[in-house]
């Protein structure tokens, strides 16, 4: 056996390779308790034309088997964004953003996995069969969504055609909202009747309650939630109607005073299909421009949002009857890094300021504030001077700067006493900010403006004690959302070249490769999965499920590349030789460790080392194929015993 039989007598040490098989919520199509089978996910992917999908947002040009264009995820002048229809994947070689059709929908439309799959399934005409446990809940949710969609359509038709909606149409027209705008935002009118909608819907009490469209009154009769109000439908990011908001008409001149004063706005209650704290009005319409501009404008009311759209800034949203809160920022940070507050950002006081600074830090966003002429809201400004509205957004200033300007504007800076009072207010505002570096930058600005020694001002800010009822200045260091970056090019070049040829279908190489030849764990796991012959996307899903995301990145990257010139036998042999040398060197180091620890006899170890080195010298000789086979066998045997 040429001495190679010695190899089988050597003990095998070391830990098993590979990665954890821990399951997580992303595998098998599970999202939030809802499941779609892997087969149906694969069916959706297979039915989606990735080039057609991406071409809806990126201009692509064919180049061989690949379509190329400018990357939508970062700024570039030379195209580095590639789409491969044969693998159903995309990848930017510049910023490394890549994935499949589902990833594309998630990144560009900011949807959860399950919603992205549903959207693609609808495009392809595929009916998904979600698991039995989710069936009743899904059916009920769909019933609620259908009722809400019916209600929105009915309210909209009332506004457009009903004689009783004439006053509403006139009011909207006076606010610059014509029929075209009303149709765009699907505005509606709730008749001045107790049960007009519930009569139209013929819905059960359960559906009325589940949608918030109505309720059963004390007399046991079904009653509409809204009455005599302009209706603003609220949609989720995918465009499904989930709630309604209603604005009462202002009293006309000469009308008698109402018996009881009603709230100006009335919004749907929390329901199974609607969460106020997570919903932003008009996000479904605004998200495309938000992504393009990298900016989101936050308003107070629905009409303000519409005004921004009409003024050429279709990236405005509004909270739905609630204050801006943490969940809103969780949503917004997925769309843009710059958030402009288009309302009185100073009215909520110090506690609101503390929250804003925490959100900036926690979600890595920049909050700015737009200033409008005194007494004018965005809707009024858009009607009278849309250019001024656009300028206000373009010139929005950082939140801290805005608060400082407000504080200094209240003092008489012409007198020493006035400047001292203004300084006290500025100190309180400066002390709110958690970053010492940011505070110090503004300390110098305020000191210059108030003609105060910056050292004195800096000391006062550092020692400032906020009132007991104010916020805590210490902001918890919340973990940022998980990010994973894997540099494929940092892994060993021979292993990458071997995997590249393997993917490109080199039959000769396939017969000569084995997992123990890969010294890099990510490359080895990638090879083991590729050797199964399963579809690429299925492999990537499995690798991500196993937390082998480095291997997933390697497979994803290499499947996007065009073929190379390394196809000759000599080139393949050179790649194999490099792999063998690296793998043998690592295995010999392990063997020497076993010798030092007394796990094997010295004579056996030395004989094995001598034989292995002899075969390494034969790799490039006429007997190289035999030496290669012997070394591969030895590595496989050692690996099997680990």
């Amino acid at each position: 056996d040429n001495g190679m039989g010695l190899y089988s007598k050597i003990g095998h040490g070391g830990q098993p390779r590979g990665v954890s098989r821990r399951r997580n919520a992303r595998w098998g199509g599970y999202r939030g308790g809802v499941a779609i089978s892997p087969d149906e996910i694969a069916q959706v992917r297979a039915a989606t034309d990735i080039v057609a999908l991406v071409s809806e947002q990126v201009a692509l040009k064919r180049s061989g088997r690949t379509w190329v264009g400018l990357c939508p995820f970062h700024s570039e002048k030379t195209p580095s964004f590639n789409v491969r229809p044969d693998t159903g994947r995309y990848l930017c070689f510049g910023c490394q953003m890549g994935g499949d059709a589902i990833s594309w929908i998630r990144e560009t439309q900011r949807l959860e996995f399950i919603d992205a799959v549903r959207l693609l399934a609808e495009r392809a005409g595929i009916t998904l069969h979600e698991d039995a446990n989710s069936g009743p809940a899904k059916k009920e949710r769909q019933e609620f969504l259908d009722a809400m969609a019916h209600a929105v359509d009915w309210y909209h038709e009332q506004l457009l055609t009903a004689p009783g909606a004439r006053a509403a149409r006139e009011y909207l027209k006076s606010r610059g909202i014509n029929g075209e705008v009303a149709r765009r935002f699907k505005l509606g009118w709730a008749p001045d009747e107790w049960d007009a909608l519930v009569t139209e819907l013929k819905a059960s009490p359960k559906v009325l309650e589940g949608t918030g469209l109505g309720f059963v009154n004390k007399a046991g009769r079904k009653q509409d939630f809204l009455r005599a109000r302009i209706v603003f439908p609220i949609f989720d990011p995918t465009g499904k109607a989930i709630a309604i908001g209603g604005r009462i008409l202002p009293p006309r001149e000469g009308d008698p005073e109402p018996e009881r004063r009603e709230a100006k706005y009335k919004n749907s209650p929390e329901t199974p299909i609607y969460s106020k704290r997570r919903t932003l009005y008009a996000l479904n319409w605004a998200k495309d421009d938000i992504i393009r501009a990298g900016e989101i404008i936050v308003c107070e009311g629905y009409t303000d949002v519409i005004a921004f759209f009409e003024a050429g800034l279709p990236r405005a949203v509004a909270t739905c009857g609630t204050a801006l809160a943490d969940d809103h920022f969780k949503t917004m940070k997925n769309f843009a890094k710059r958030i402009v507050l288009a309302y009185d950002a100073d009215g909520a006081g110090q506690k609101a300021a503390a929250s804003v600074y925490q959100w900036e830090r926690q979600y890595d966003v920049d909050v700015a504030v737009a200033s409008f002429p005194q007494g004018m809201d965005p809707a009024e400004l858009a009607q009278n001077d849309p250019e001024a509205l656009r300028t206000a957004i373009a010139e929005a200033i950082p939140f801290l700067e805005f608060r400082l300007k407000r504080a200094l504007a209240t003092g008489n800076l012409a007198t020493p006493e006035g400047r001292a009072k203004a300084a006290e207010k500025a100190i309180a505002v400066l002390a709110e900010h958690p970053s010492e570096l940011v505070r110090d930058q503004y300390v110098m600005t305020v000191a210059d403006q108030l003609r105060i020694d910056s050292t004195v001002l800096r000391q006062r800010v550092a020692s400032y004690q906020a009132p007991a009822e104010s916020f805590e200045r210490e902001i918890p260091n919340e973990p940022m959302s998980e990010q994973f970056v894997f540099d494929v090019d940092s892994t060993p070049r021979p292993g990458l070249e071997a995997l590249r040829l393997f993917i490109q279908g080199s039959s000769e190489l396939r017969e000569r490769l084995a997992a123990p030849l890969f010294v890099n764990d990510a490359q080895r796991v990638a090879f083991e999965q590729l050797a199964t012959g399963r579809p690429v996307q299925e492999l990537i899903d499995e690798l991500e499920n196993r937390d082998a995301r480095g291997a997933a990145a390697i497979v994803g990257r290499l499947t996007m590349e065009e073929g190379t010139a390394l196809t000759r036998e000599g080139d393949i042999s050179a790649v194999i030789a490099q792999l063998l040398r690296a793998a043998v060197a690592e295995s010999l180091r392990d063997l020497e460790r076993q010798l030092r620890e007394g796990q094997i006899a010295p004579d056996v170890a030395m004989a094995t080392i001598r034989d292995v080195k002899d075969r390494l010298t034969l790799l490039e000789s006429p007997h190289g194929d035999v030496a290669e086979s012997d070394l591969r066998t030895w590595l496989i045997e050692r690996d099997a015993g680990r």
Side-chain angles (χ1 to χ4, degrees):
D1 62 3
N2 292 327
M4 295 300 288
L6 288 173
Y7 298 165
S8 62
K9 301 175 184 177
I10 300 174
H12 303 282
Q15 297 298 318
R17 298 197 191 198
V19 293
S20 167
R21 297 192 66 87
R22 176 180 64 83
R23 294 191 61 82
N24 63 35
R26 296 186 300 171
W27 176 240
Y30 287 90
R31 296 296 187 278
V34 179
I36 299 175
S37 73
D39 289 343
E40 288 193 337
I41 293 174
Q43 183 184 4
V44 168
R45 287 192 178 110
T48 300
D49 183 338
I50 186 72
V51 173
L53 182 68
V54 174
S55 293
E56 293 176 4
Q57 298 186 49
V58 179
L60 296 176
K61 182 179 180 181
R62 186 162 191 164
S63 176
R65 291 186 297 170
T66 303
W67 294 74
V68 298
L70 295 175
C71 180
F73 302 113
H74 79 288
S75 298
E76 62 177 7
K77 295 182 179 179
T78 303
S80 61
F81 183 77
N82 290 253
V83 181
R84 286 283 296 270
D86 54 338
T87 62
R89 296 185 64 80
Y90 64 89
L91 176 70
C92 174
F93 288 94
C95 68
Q96 301 301 311
M97 286 289 289
D100 64 351
I102 298 173
S103 307
W104 176 261
I105 292 297
R106 295 192 67 187
E107 288 295 333
T108 58
Q109 300 199 28
R110 301 305 196 268
L111 298 180
E112 294 297 324
F113 181 93
I114 196 73
D115 293 323
V117 174
R118 285 171 176 160
L119 186 150
L120 290 174
E122 289 176 6
R123 283 174 58 110
I126 295 173
T127 301
L128 299 175
H129 301 87
E130 300 176 34
D131 69 4
N133 292 330
S134 70
K138 179 190 175 187
K139 182 178 179 181
E140 182 179 83
R141 175 181 174 81
Q142 190 58 52
E143 190 176 8
F144 294 162
L145 289 172
D146 289 344
M148 183 61 71
H150 185 173
V152 167
D153 287 342
W154 186 79
Y155 279 138
H156 184 55
E157 188 62 25
Q158 291 295 305
L159 177 66
L160 297 180
T161 63
R166 181 176 180 179
R169 292 191 290 267
E170 291 176 350
Y171 169 75
L172 289 173
K173 188 175 180 180
S174 71
R175 297 297 302 267
I177 299 175
N178 57 28
E180 181 182 347
V181 177
R183 289 181 178 87
R184 179 180 183 182
F185 292 91
K186 212 155 188 181
L187 304 185
W189 170 250
D192 190 6
E193 301 175 27
W194 290 105
D195 58 359
L197 177 67
V198 298
T199 300
E200 166 68 22
L201 292 180
K202 299 180 177 61
S204 67
K206 180 180 180 181
V207 170
L208 294 179
E209 181 181 356
T211 58
L213 291 170
F215 56 94
V216 177
N217 60 26
K218 294 179 180 179
R221 294 182 57 185
K222 298 175 186 177
Q223 183 174 324
D224 293 349
F225 173 69
L226 294 183
R227 177 184 177 187
R229 288 177 181 265
I230 296 171
V231 178
F232 294 84
I234 299 166
F235 299 86
D236 70 10
T238 68
K240 292 184 175 67
I242 55 174
I244 51 176
R247 189 199 193 285
I248 198 167
L249 290 176
R252 290 179 296 186
E253 188 176 348
D255 285 350
E257 283 290 324
E259 295 181 4
R260 62 185 182 88
R261 189 174 297 277
E262 294 189 67
K264 183 178 179 181
Y265 281 97
K266 188 176 181 181
N267 296 288
S268 288
E270 294 274 326
T271 70
I273 61 173
Y274 171 57
S275 171
K276 290 183 180 182
R277 67 183 185 277
R278 296 191 182 99
T279 303
L280 290 165
Y281 174 73
L283 182 58
N284 56 305
W285 295 301
K287 60 184 180 182
D288 289 345
D289 196 66
I290 290 171
I291 294 170
R292 280 193 294 269
E295 175 184 85
I296 186 167
I297 303 167
V298 185
C299 309
E300 280 190 299
Y302 307 136
T303 54
D304 289 338
V305 168
I306 294 173
F308 273 107
F309 273 71
E310 293 307 294
L313 295 171
R315 51 183 175 272
V317 299
T319 56
C320 301
T322 65
L324 198 59
D326 186 73
D327 281 320
H328 295 124
F329 273 82
K330 286 181 182 177
T331 298
M332 290 190 290
K333 58 98 174 174
N334 291 326
F335 291 87
K337 293 298 183 184
R338 175 176 162 87
I339 298 170
V340 179
L341 305 183
Y343 55 82
D344 183 1
D346 202 43
Q350 288 182 327
K351 290 184 179 180
S355 296
V356 168
Y357 299 138
Q358 178 173 342
W359 292 328
E360 284 187 313
R361 176 176 173 180
Q362 183 174 346
Y363 298 119
D364 190 26
V365 295
D366 296 317
V367 179
V369 182
S371 296
F372 303 108
Q374 189 69 28
M376 295 191 75
D377 60 30
E380 293 169 329
L381 192 58
Q383 229 179 325
N384 297 302
D385 191 351
E387 184 58 37
L389 182 66
R390 291 188 286 269
T391 299
I393 297 301
E395 297 178 353
I397 59 178
F399 187 76
L400 177 55
E401 182 180 348
F402 170 82
R403 286 184 53 77
L404 279 173
K405 284 190 173 184
R406 282 287 185 93
L408 297 178
T410 61
N412 180 8
L413 305 188
T415 66
E417 292 82 3
R419 291 193 295 272
K421 289 181 180 179
E424 292 294 339
K425 292 183 179 180
I427 288 168
V429 171
L430 285 167
E432 294 170 353
H433 204 283
S435 171
E436 182 179 355
L437 293 176
V438 173
R439 292 197 304 267
D440 199 64
Q441 292 293 312
Y442 283 101
V443 160
M444 293 184 287
T445 300
V446 172
D448 288 343
Q449 188 171 351
L450 299 182
R451 288 175 277 173
I452 295 176
D453 187 289
S454 61
T455 302
V456 174
L457 188 61
R458 188 176 290 110
Q459 291 172 347
R460 290 291 305 277
V461 171
S463 62
Y464 178 80
Q465 295 294 321
E469 69 274 9
S470 186
F471 62 91
E472 295 292 332
R473 280 184 55 198
E474 287 297 323
I475 295 178
N477 188 17
E478 296 286 346
M480 298 297 291
S481 58
E482 184 181 5
Q483 295 182 352
F484 178 78
V485 177
F486 184 84
D487 184 2
V488 174
D489 291 324
S490 69
T491 61
R493 181 70 183 179
L496 277 183
E497 200 59 57
L499 289 172
R500 182 176 287 113
L501 292 170
F502 189 89
I503 287 172
Q504 292 167 9
S506 173
S507 58
E508 180 186 352
L509 183 77
R510 287 174 178 268
E511 296 173 358
R512 298 166 68 178
L513 283 179
L517 272 65
F518 293 91
V519 296
N520 178 269
D521 285 342
Q523 290 182 352
R524 175 177 174 139
V525 173
F527 170 77
E528 290 171 338
Q529 287 296 306
L530 287 167
T532 65
R534 293 156 61 196
V536 169
Q537 188 55 53
E538 186 178 323
L539 297 183
I540 292 174
D541 281 345
E542 171 67 11
L543 290 169
E544 290 181 345
N545 169 59
R546 294 167 52 184
D547 273 353
R549 290 179 290 175
I554 290 173
V555 174
R557 160 75 174 273
L558 296 183
T559 54
M560 291 297 301
E561 296 181 353
E562 292 283 358
T564 67
L566 280 175
T567 55
R568 295 173 299 176
E569 181 180 350
D571 295 327
I572 293 174
S573 295
V575 171
I576 295 293
Q578 292 180 66
L579 286 176
L580 281 171
R581 292 182 190 282
V584 166
E586 183 179 274
S587 195
L588 286 178
R589 285 192 291 270
D590 184 60
L591 183 61
E592 291 168 353
R593 177 192 60 78
Q594 290 178 314
L595 177 61
R596 290 193 303 271
E597 295 176 357
Q599 297 180 19
I600 55 174
D603 57 335
V604 173
M606 296 309 297
T608 301
I609 292 171
R610 184 172 55 253
D611 286 344
V612 168
K613 289 184 176 180
D614 286 345
R615 277 155 181 78
L616 282 175
T617 62
L618 295 173
L619 274 178
E620 297 177 7
S621 73
H623 304 289
D625 55 342
V626 176
E628 176 188 313
S629 177
D630 289 345
L631 290 170
R632 183 170 55 248
T633 300
W634 179 66
L635 289 169
I636 292 172
E637 288 184 359
R638 278 190 60 81
D639 187 78
R642 291 184 177 182

